[in-house]
Amino acid sequence: MDKWLVINWHAIFVPSISVLELVIRGSLVYLALFSVLRWLPNRQMGTLGITDLLVVVLFAEAAQNAMASNYTSITEGGILVGTVIFWSYLLNWLGYKLPQFQRLLNPPPLLLVKNGRMIHRHLERELITEEELMSKLRQQSIEYLEDVKLAFMEADGSISVITSDSKTNLMPPEESKSKSDLS
């Protein structure tokens, strides 16, 4: 009965392993998962970005271990969560500051259809069947492949489409603005 009321404050807050080891472990896991997820086909990602997915998964794991006392202190869980936040912020910051680094974080759009013709090697690369592509086109109210001028797989796994009947504004911005002011 005495065990129920005794709190070992030292075990709760003092890490049982080196803080540096925790940071290195958190960094290695984050960067390894980031690398694996970055090179998976985009359709596996849905609408979550890679860093978003990693943060959610690693936060949950780090917090769960700290709460379930798989670590010997809450501090260890906090250090791992802080490490995940650091890497997430650093990668996003580098992508913002260095455009060439952004390509590592988010792949450029991949052309899937051009002038009504599927680009089969790109579909194969992303593991998309013709039926899946046509399903995505129908969801955007496009019945025939011939109506598609361009279709891209975006970095988040979604498919954006430009149809043949899309109107493009060919007027210079100044003329376009002055004409819209008249109406």
Side-chain angles (χ1 to χ4, degrees):
M1 186 73 172
D2 287 335
K3 288 268 186 193
W4 290 10
L5 302 175
V6 175
I7 298 172
N8 184 349
W9 293 103
H10 186 269
I12 291 175
F13 292 108
V14 177
S16 62
I17 61 175
S18 160
V19 171
L20 181 60
E21 181 179 340
L22 285 170
V23 170
I24 290 171
R25 286 174 182 261
S27 296
L28 290 175
V29 169
Y30 182 90
L31 295 173
L33 286 174
F34 176 83
S35 299
V36 168
L37 291 174
R38 168 58 178 90
W39 300 111
L40 281 177
N42 288 337
R43 73 187 213 124
Q44 302 296 323
M45 304 289 25
T47 58
L48 283 178
I50 291 171
T51 55
D52 299 330
L53 180 63
L54 279 175
V55 167
V56 169
V57 169
L58 293 176
F59 271 6
E61 181 64 22
Q64 181 273 331
N65 285 339
M67 289 187 294
S69 77
N70 289 345
Y71 300 134
T72 55
S73 75
I74 292 173
T75 306
E76 291 170 332
I79 290 168
L80 286 176
V81 168
T83 300
V84 170
I85 290 171
F86 166 77
W87 281 108
S88 178
Y89 181 82
L90 179 65
L91 292 177
N92 286 324
W93 182 83
L94 286 171
Y96 176 74
K97 292 291 187 180
L98 305 171
Q100 63 273 26
F101 194 77
Q102 185 62 34
R103 284 187 62 122
L104 174 67
L105 295 177
N106 294 307
L110 179 66
L111 187 62
L112 300 177
V113 178
K114 183 175 183 180
N115 296 324
R117 300 183 67 123
M118 290 184 198
I119 302 175
H120 291 282
R121 73 173 192 269
H122 291 177
L123 292 172
E124 288 175 16
R125 181 174 128 193
E126 295 300 324
L127 305 175
I128 299 173
T129 65
E130 291 181 22
E131 293 79 20
E132 289 172 318
L133 177 61
M134 291 307 298
S135 171
K136 292 293 185 184
L137 295 177
R138 285 190 301 275
Q139 290 173 10
Q140 296 188 35
S141 302
I142 299 169
E143 187 174 2
Y144 302 106
L145 188 61
E146 295 78 30
D147 295 337
V148 177
K149 182 177 179 181
L150 299 169
F152 295 93
M153 169 153 298
E154 302 296 340
D156 67 358
S158 65
I159 295 179
S160 59
V161 180
I162 300 170
T163 58
S164 301
D165 64 343
S166 295
K167 305 290 186 247
T168 56
N169 186 2
L170 299 177
M171 287 188 275
E174 300 81 33
E175 286 182 41
S176 175
K177 184 178 179 187
S178 62
K179 289 204 182 223
S180 65
D181 291 341
L182 294 175
S183 41

